[in-house]
Amino acid sequence: MSRVCPAVMRRRSLRLVSAVFALAFATLSVGPMRDTGGARARRQTPLVKFQVMPARLARGRYLVNNVAHCFMCHADIDCLHNNCQPVPGTQGSGQVLPAWESGFPAPYQLVEPNITPDRKTGAGAWTDEQFVRALREGIGHDGRRLFPAMPYANFRGLSDEDLASIVVYIRSLPPVRRALPKSRIPPEFPVSAYASLEPPLPPVPVNASSEVRHGAYLVRLGNCSACHTTTDADGRWFPGMFLAGGQDYAAPWGTFASANITPDPSGISWYTEDLFLKTIRTGREAGTGRKLNQFMPWSYFRNQTDGDLKAIFAYLRTLKPVRHHVDNTEPPTYCCIDKSKHGLGYTNCPPYVSR
């Protein structure tokens, strides 16, 4: 993120916890915070060896390569030329995140580990139970509590069969011999960042249809809230701003903010189901034809079935509309709602809010 000053770096580093790096199955540790048995007591899945079946391999491939977009972290990705897709041959092999992504200055760094079945440099020696604990409990294979970038608070909601399918598919990847350094976290990284481990996801209405419930499941698995819900300087979500956009980023290709995807006129109230599917499939905004930012994982999400994308849209239509104007084609201006700068930010401040 921006390296303007220490205060900005701190804000962006904290946002890392609840935003851009809560993207995939990252096993980053924060020091000797070893499990003392509490997480093991909360285990939702018993010790098992998942049976390899064609249906599980297919389902795991589907989840990992689109809605869960695991390789957007666990691979070298090409955002400048290929919409943040993995560089061929690096899928699952991890990466050392560049400073603009991590928000940490040298010599500190964030490293996404090699999760291919290579036994020396990857996850080849991990048990299925260790994968399960990482995904559902946030405990690494070595017993350390995982860095909050690992979105286990969301993956905790995986169905048993989807969890098994992901593990089976990850184990089927070609082993990649790639030794990576350890993550080095700045000592001043605040413990308050752990507040974002339990995202306050709004409950699905009791009378919701099965399609809406399935959409809510996919939105949680896709970690959409990590980017589309803005956070304060301490990495906590602003109340009442679920999926209302405004989370700001700085990348080599420019600065940008996440979109408001609530059913408000300032969001996507005018989208139809067909327009939503077309936007995700093509990576271009319906109506305007403007290209979605490459950091939005549309190039992964577009591989979902029509049924899954329709379910996501059905769920988004049930959300509380939030008035929050965000437009990346406009110059950044201060926003009174999320206390940052983004396009049309000034329209969220008086006297415009009363118009």
Side-chain angles (χ1 to χ4, degrees), residues 38-48 50 129 132-133 135-137 152-160 163 198 220:
R40 184 177 294 276
R42 293 192 299 273
R43 182 183 297 113
Q44 299 179 35
T45 303
L47 284 166
V48 293
F50 293 127
E129 175 65 9
V132 170
R133 295 185 69 204
L135 282 162
R136 279 192 167 160
E137 300 171 8
Y152 60 81
N154 283 334
F155 288 161
R156 194 175 283 147
L158 277 165
S159 71
D160 289 345
L163 177 67
E198 297 291 343
R220 182 176 182 181

Side-chain angles (χ1 to χ4, degrees), residues 103-316:
F104 294 147
Y108 303 108
Q109 62 186 2
L110 285 172
V111 180
E112 306 287 354
N114 181 348
I115 57 172
T116 71
D118 182 70
R119 295 188 65 85
K120 288 189 176 181
T121 65
W126 297 7
T127 66
D128 287 355
E129 175 65 9
Q130 287 171 327
F131 272 105
V132 170
R133 295 185 69 204
L135 282 162
R136 279 192 167 160
E137 300 171 8
I139 303 298
H141 69 286
D142 58 358
R144 292 174 180 262
R145 185 169 297 281
L146 304 184
F147 188 77
M150 155 61 177
Y152 60 81
N154 283 334
F155 288 161
R156 194 175 283 147
L158 277 165
S159 71
D160 289 345
E161 188 56 33
D162 280 352
L163 177 67
S165 297
I166 287 175
V167 174
V168 165
Y169 173 67
I170 291 293
R171 288 199 178 283
S172 76
L173 296 174
V176 178
R177 182 62 54 88
R178 186 179 191 183
L180 293 168
K182 298 291 186 181
S183 291
R184 298 186 63 188
I185 311 300
E188 68 273 16
F189 196 88
V191 177
S192 63
Y194 288 97
S196 62
L197 285 176
E198 297 291 343
L201 301 173
V204 179
V206 176
N207 61 347
S209 67
S210 59
E211 181 182 44
V212 167
R213 291 184 178 279
H214 183 54
Y217 175 79
L218 294 172
V219 165
R220 182 176 182 181
L221 178 56
N223 207 32
C224 302
S225 57
C227 287
H228 287 281
T229 305
T230 190
T231 55
D232 62 19
D234 290 323
R236 295 182 176 89
W237 290 4
F238 280 102
M241 293 293 289
F242 183 69
L243 298 185
Q247 189 78 287
D248 59 321
Y249 304 100
W253 57 88
T255 60
F256 56 94
S258 59
N260 181 349
I261 57 175
T262 71
D264 184 80
S266 62
I268 59 171
S269 63
W270 53 279
Y271 268 50
T272 64
E273 183 181 81
D274 287 343
L275 288 177
F276 179 76
L277 265 67
K278 184 177 181 180
T279 296
I280 300 300
R281 295 272 189 240
T282 65
R284 292 190 176 276
E285 186 181 69
T288 67
R290 294 188 303 216
K291 192 176 185 300
L292 301 182
N293 194 282
Q294 52 265 51
F295 210 59
M296 155 63 179
W298 67 267
S299 65
Y300 296 80
F301 294 165
R302 67 179 174 184
N303 297 316
Q304 294 182 78
T305 64
D306 283 355
D308 278 356
L309 288 176
K310 289 178 179 179
I312 289 173
F313 182 71
Y315 170 67
L316 294 179

Side-chain angles (χ1 to χ4, degrees), residues 1-14 103-105 188 250:
M1 306 306 176
S2 173
R3 301 278 71 77
V4 176
C5 67
V8 173
M9 185 276 286
R10 178 178 179 273
R11 182 183 188 193
R12 294 284 171 74
S13 298
L14 286 165
F104 294 147
E188 68 273 16

